[in-house]
Amino acid sequence: MKASKPVFNRSVTTKLVTSASVGALLMGMTAVAQADNWRYAHEEYEGDVQDVFAYAFKEHIEENSDHTVQVYRFGELGESDDIMEQTQNGILQFVNQSPGFTGALIPEAQIFFIPYLLPTDEETVLTFFEESEAINEMFPELYAEQGLELLKMYPEGEMVITTDEPISSPEDMDNKKIRTMTNPLLSETYDAFGATPTPLPWGEVYGGLQTGIIDGQENPIFWIESGGLYEVSPHLTFTGHGWFTTAMMANQDFYSGLSEEDQTLVQEASQAAYDHTIEHIQGLAEESLAKIQEASDEVTVTRLDEEQIQAFRDRAPQVEEAFLEMTGDKGQELLEQFKADLEAVSNE
């Protein structure tokens, strides 16, 4: 057994934004449109997927210009809602935030939480993100309406549920308090699965599992390993219900104020970071699961068979209906295009 990571203490102490940290940012905000030090915050820890993306972006910018990029990891400037607010206010130039949190701002972004919409096959998912009209043409317009320049959307990994005891059916989820992001549609998903969705900030998840405030949560395997969640929630279930997706974006006023040369630089850096990250995530889930199993004898891994998955899939239509109720005609149009794009890549 390896020593437990100090996740609980780290989460508690880093989830609050100190006035000093934001104040330091504000003091450095002179001539932002001409700034040569750009500020970029994301939601994860050192070495996690968003961190890999951020540093690949930083490397490309700094190797191809005189600009520098300051990267802020989870907790350094607050939680996800905090860094989005700072980006919209122009304190940050760049932010990486998953639709799980952006869904409150852009309801259509919750489409990624319709269970069983995305396939579990990694190659198909990666091709979809490369070629999808919904991803590459429709989403940028939705983000622009909120003052955000969407630069890249990318998948991080298949979602895995961890719980206090093994599960293999919706009946096993009955009355389980499953942590969700502050995302209405994700709550609908776990309600459909028979659980009790329990929104909770990320900084409180480890402690919530440790003390029994919640019975489980969902995340990609690498995040379960990195955050040490298997230590307090050791039963892992692969339900095949979705992928964790994230988005990297810029404050639109900042981006629009850049020279044409710098806009091209940012676009090229985003593409370089995307390419590097997509390569990084291939095989990452297997590697992270092996680390978890090596670290703990208490961990169990349940991979549902097709019959078991179907019991969960049968409950997905009500989540899709809830998505359409939340998003109206825009959501309907996006969902239709999303499905058409998936069908196209599945037939290649």
Side-chain angles (χ1 to χ4, degrees):
M1 292 283 290
K2 72 174 183 180
S4 296
K5 300 177 183 177
V7 179
F8 179 65
N9 289 338
R10 174 176 59 183
S11 298
V12 171
T13 57
T14 60
K15 72 180 182 122
L16 298 176
V17 190
T18 67
S19 57
S21 60
V22 176
L25 284 177
L26 289 166
M27 287 177 64
M29 286 180 60
T30 54
V32 170
Q34 301 173 24
D36 62 356
N37 182 47
W38 297 337
R39 300 168 185 85
Y40 181 146
H42 65 73
E43 304 170 307
E44 296 177 354
Y45 297 127
E46 181 178 359
D48 288 336
V49 174
Q50 290 184 22
D51 197 52
V52 167
F53 187 102
Y55 274 87
F57 178 84
K58 170 183 169 73
E59 181 179 347
H60 187 94
I61 293 290
E62 294 179 354
E63 285 184 354
N64 292 279
S65 73
D66 293 329
H67 300 306
T68 57
V69 177
Q70 176 66 47
V71 176
Y72 298 90
R73 296 179 172 124
F74 172 79
E76 293 179 7
L77 297 175
E79 296 253 6
S80 293
D81 292 345
D82 299 308
I83 59 176
M84 174 56 76
E85 183 179 348
Q86 291 161 29
T87 304
Q88 288 186 296
N89 290 336
I91 298 171
L92 295 168
Q93 283 74 56
F94 301 99
V95 68
N96 202 313
Q97 187 180 74
S98 78
F101 292 105
T102 314
L105 188 68
I106 305 169
E108 295 84 359
Q110 297 178 100
I111 194 170
F112 295 102
F113 295 93
I114 298 175
Y116 300 102
L117 184 59
L118 283 173
T120 54
D121 175 66
E122 185 176 87
E123 184 178 349
T124 303
V125 170
L126 297 182
T127 303
F128 170 73
F129 274 84
E130 289 278 359
E131 300 179 4
S132 168
E133 183 178 326
I135 296 287
N136 298 299
E137 296 181 26
M138 298 177 75
F139 267 112
E141 295 177 3
L142 293 169
Y143 277 71
E145 291 174 5
Q146 300 300 327
L148 299 164
E149 183 73 26
L150 180 60
L151 296 166
K152 279 293 174 186
M153 275 191 149
Y154 59 97
E156 294 193 46
E158 181 183 347
M159 296 301 278
V160 177
I161 301 173
T162 73
T163 46
D164 56 345
E165 57 187 3
I167 60 171
S168 60
S169 69
E171 288 71 29
D172 292 338
M173 298 282 280
D174 189 36
N175 294 323
K176 290 287 185 191
K177 298 185 294 293
I178 303 296
R179 177 263 177 173
T180 62
M181 291 176 277
T182 50
N183 178 300
L185 200 72
L186 188 55
S187 292
E188 288 281 347
T189 293
Y190 277 94
D191 187 55
F193 284 174
T196 301
T198 308
L200 203 63
W202 166 246
E204 299 176 26
V205 173
Y206 189 98
L209 292 165
Q210 192 175 44
T211 58
I213 292 172
I214 50 175
D215 302 312
Q217 61 84 52
E218 67 162 28
N219 260 302
I221 281 288
F222 81 85
W223 192 229
I224 293 166
E225 190 276 325
S226 173
L229 298 179
Y230 63 91
E231 299 166 353
V232 288
S233 188
H235 301 289
L236 282 55
T237 304
F238 287 76
T239 55
H241 71 277
W243 276 67
F244 189 85
T245 299
T246 194
M248 184 266 194
M249 62 210 90
N251 173 287
Q252 197 169 53
D253 288 340
F254 158 76
Y255 182 83
S256 299
L258 292 175
S259 65
E260 186 175 333
E261 179 182 2
D262 278 346
Q263 287 186 358
T264 300
L265 172 69
V266 167
Q267 291 286 348
E268 290 176 347
S270 302
Q271 184 62 50
Y274 177 88
D275 293 341
H276 177 75
T277 304
I278 292 305
E279 184 176 342
H280 172 77
I281 67 171
Q282 296 180 53
L284 179 62
E286 292 79 5
E287 178 185 327
S288 299
L289 181 57
K291 289 180 181 178
I292 290 172
Q293 292 177 310
E294 183 179 349
S296 174
D297 294 331
E298 297 179 11
V299 167
T300 67
V301 178
T302 303
R303 296 182 184 272
L304 302 187
D305 61 30
E306 279 304 311
E307 183 178 349
Q308 291 170 321
I309 286 174
Q310 190 60 46
F312 283 93
R313 186 183 283 116
D314 287 343
R315 300 181 175 221
Q318 71 185 72
V319 185
E320 184 172 309
E321 289 173 13
F323 171 77
L324 293 174
E325 288 175 8
M326 293 176 189
T327 58
D329 292 342
K330 277 188 179 181
Q332 178 74 54
E333 184 181 0
L334 181 67
L335 181 60
E336 288 174 0
Q337 187 61 55
F338 212 90
K339 289 181 175 180
D341 294 341
L342 283 167
E343 185 176 357
V345 298
S346 298
N347 292 333
E348 287 182 1

